[in-house]
Amino acid sequence: MAAMFSQNPLMNGPNYSVNDAPRIGAPEGAREHRFDPYTDNGGSTLAIAGADFAIMAGDTRLTSGYSINSRFHPKLFKIGGTTADQKDATIVLSVVGFAADGEALKERLDAICKMYRYRHGKPMSVKACAQRLSTILYGKRFFPYYAYAILAGLDEEGKGAVYSYDPVGSYEREQCRAGGAAASLIMPFLDNQVNFKNQYIPNSGEGHALVERERRPLTRREVEILVKDAFDGAVERHIEVGDGLQMMIITKSGIEEVLLPLKKD
Amino acid sequence: MDHRPQAWGRPRDDVYGPYDASYLHNNQPKTATQSPIVTGTSVIAIKFKDGVVMAADNLASYGSLARFTDVKRLRPFLSTSVVGFGGDVSDMQFLDRHLNELAIDEAYEAEGCSAGGLGSSAQEPDASPGASKGQLNAANLHKYLTKLMYRRRNSFDPLWNQILVAGFDSASAPFLASVDLRGTAFTSPSLATGYGAMLAQPIMRKYAATEEDAAKLTRDDAVRVVRECMKVLFYRDARSLDRFSLAVVTRDGVDISEDEVLEQQSWAFAERIRGYGTQTV
């Protein structure tokens, strides 16, 4: 008789395991919408290192889906100046991907560079800033900043330096790098035009005997034209790229900013 | 009398097993807005030479049901800025309460400053209400809302809104910017949320494609364009209403009228639409 009123599950046949118990509310798979914290806001960036300069460039379009949210939303930021207007900054960061994460990343890095300046009484070197950016990105390894960052500046010897990143902080110093929506369109063009890949001296031989064209550093004028051409090409073939081209040229005398129009279609 | 529930029809434990009380408990984490319920549709806004015009209809929909038809979705802030809300209405109300608190704190702060508290020796003349005096302008307010929205998205507890902020920046130039539930923020001479981004934005961009174009637009032109856009939206957006709020922000302050009606509607085009309804051809 005692067993009849027992609340002890062991004595009274099968019980639901936690997973089998029906959920309160909607049936399985019926949830209409779950919050996705990420979106892609399109756009593209590009950086090329020269002998005594570095050029960073990015388009100014901000999209969501097929809509153009803004025709002027800069992706290039001066980092680590003394004041908010960044007049004496020496490093440029570009971010492309999810705009809100990009903005947050920029503000974090800028704040850290400013703290460094106040603590040490000198601006951060690009090398140090590059390592710190990697650490920031990896710090959010399990909820990453969905942003492809490129950092540009001049190294200790005054040579142009470009560091490129993936969203979780893997980084590398490179001669040139394209990022964002049209990266796959621009990067092969850069390989050919900056690193002279697949360029051989005519009639120098057959097959493996072919002699590669000798690499030489490009001049600033050449690079500026190259950047404009790369973006004009990307605009034609990628809908998320366009409206305006923002270019920052880092030299030992400071950072010059250039704005050029791109197709708005 | 047998008072025990089993004798009165409660399923016997030995036959049916004990009652599984886990049905009654929802042991999932607490969730706030994981999907919007009562929603407002588009908000549209355009800059003109000395301010910003913003509009949104007065409807709050429950799915496809036009549930509340007198909801104010444009809210003034410190009588210098206007905030327009699209998306979830409960989250809008939460934000509105929050911004009211902020405005009150700001007002006290301004009071303290002008009373000559923190080292201000010279007596300040009482300028226009809310303006300058180091109070939050529209640009500051937009930054604040951006940080708030981004923080909420980072904690997976988003406020399901897209918000437009209109007013003036610290250089006293007209300011218009947007922020959404993920904290994505951007500015443009004209902005629209939801269906407005598809239907109204192309019309507004005809009049204010660039900042320079917007700086040439008069107040009357801007209001006319916005009214035109609201009409297009009412024609084509099924979750819209012909009663709307219209706000004009200028340096003189905020002017919101909350009972605008769409005039001179023409539904003649509807007769030519084929493929829906009962016609056979």
Side-chain angles (χ1 to χ4, degrees), chain A:
Chain A
M1 193 63 185
M4 190 172 163
F5 307 116
S6 168
Q7 294 291 311
N8 183 353
L10 290 174
M11 297 174 72
N12 291 291
N15 281 283
Y16 285 108
S17 77
V18 178
N19 291 332
D20 291 340
R23 290 238 178 75
I24 306 255
E28 202 65 41
R31 169 167 280 141
E32 60 175 86
H33 203 98
R34 254 197 86 74
F35 176 62
D36 177 6
Y38 293 113
T39 46
D40 189 349
N41 296 111
S44 219
T45 56
L46 159 57
I48 299 174
D52 57 350
F53 66 93
I55 291 192
M56 185 81 96
D59 71 322
T60 62
R61 180 175 288 184
L62 183 93
T63 65
S64 78
Y66 288 126
S67 295
I68 296 173
N69 282 337
S70 177
R71 294 193 190 279
F72 187 72
H73 186 87
K75 283 185 248 300
L76 271 48
F77 306 102
K78 296 175 187 173
I79 291 292
T82 337
T83 49
D85 61 18
Q86 307 282 10
K87 236 184 294 185
D88 53 350
T90 54
I91 297 171
V92 176
L93 171 75
S94 74
V95 281
V96 64
F98 174 37
D101 273 352
E103 178 79 10
L105 180 63
K106 170 213 115 190
E107 295 201 347
R108 279 261 302 270
L109 187 67
D110 187 43
I112 285 165
C113 286
K114 279 185 165 57
M115 288 305 293
Y116 181 100
R117 188 190 275 269
Y118 297 140
R119 281 190 183 147
H120 297 90
K122 62 176 185 185
M124 216 169 183
S125 68
V126 227
K127 196 180 175 184
C129 192
Q131 174 58 54
R132 192 64 182 86
L133 178 54
S134 170
T135 316
I136 294 169
L137 287 164
Y138 194 79
K140 268 172 73 71
R141 174 64 181 81
F142 298 108
F143 183 27
Y145 288 116
Y146 176 44
Y148 292 89
I150 304 177
L151 198 71
L154 299 178
D155 67 8
E156 290 93 334
E157 298 164 34
K159 290 185 186 147
V162 165
Y163 292 87
S164 69
Y165 296 80
D166 80 347
V168 289
S170 314
Y171 79 115
E172 180 182 20
R173 183 172 170 181
E174 289 179 301
Q175 205 58 39
C176 63
R177 170 60 69 181
S184 56
L185 279 69
I186 297 175
M187 204 60 219
F189 172 71
L190 256 35
D191 285 338
N192 183 249
Q193 291 295 308
V194 178
N195 293 324
F196 296 157
K197 290 280 162 64
N198 296 96
Q199 294 202 48
Y200 300 97
I201 296 164
N203 307 318
S204 58
E206 288 282 308
H208 290 298
L210 266 171
V211 180
E212 281 187 20
R213 182 180 166 193
E214 198 191 338
R215 282 179 58 189
R216 62 172 176 83
L218 300 175
T219 65
R220 179 178 156 181
R221 183 79 200 122
E222 281 175 317
V223 173
E224 277 179 45
I225 293 168
L226 215 57
V227 167
K228 184 65 166 58
D229 285 348
F231 272 93
D232 281 337
V235 166
E236 286 297 325
R237 288 291 183 174
H238 203 114
I239 55 168
E240 290 173 352
V241 182
D243 291 327
L245 175 61
Q246 184 194 22
M247 239 196 281
M248 285 192 185
I249 302 119
I250 307 138
T251 60
K252 63 175 187 298
S253 51
I255 301 173
E256 255 178 77
E257 191 172 348
V258 182
L259 283 169
L260 295 169
L262 288 176
K263 282 172 74 165
K264 293 185 195 300
D265 58 2

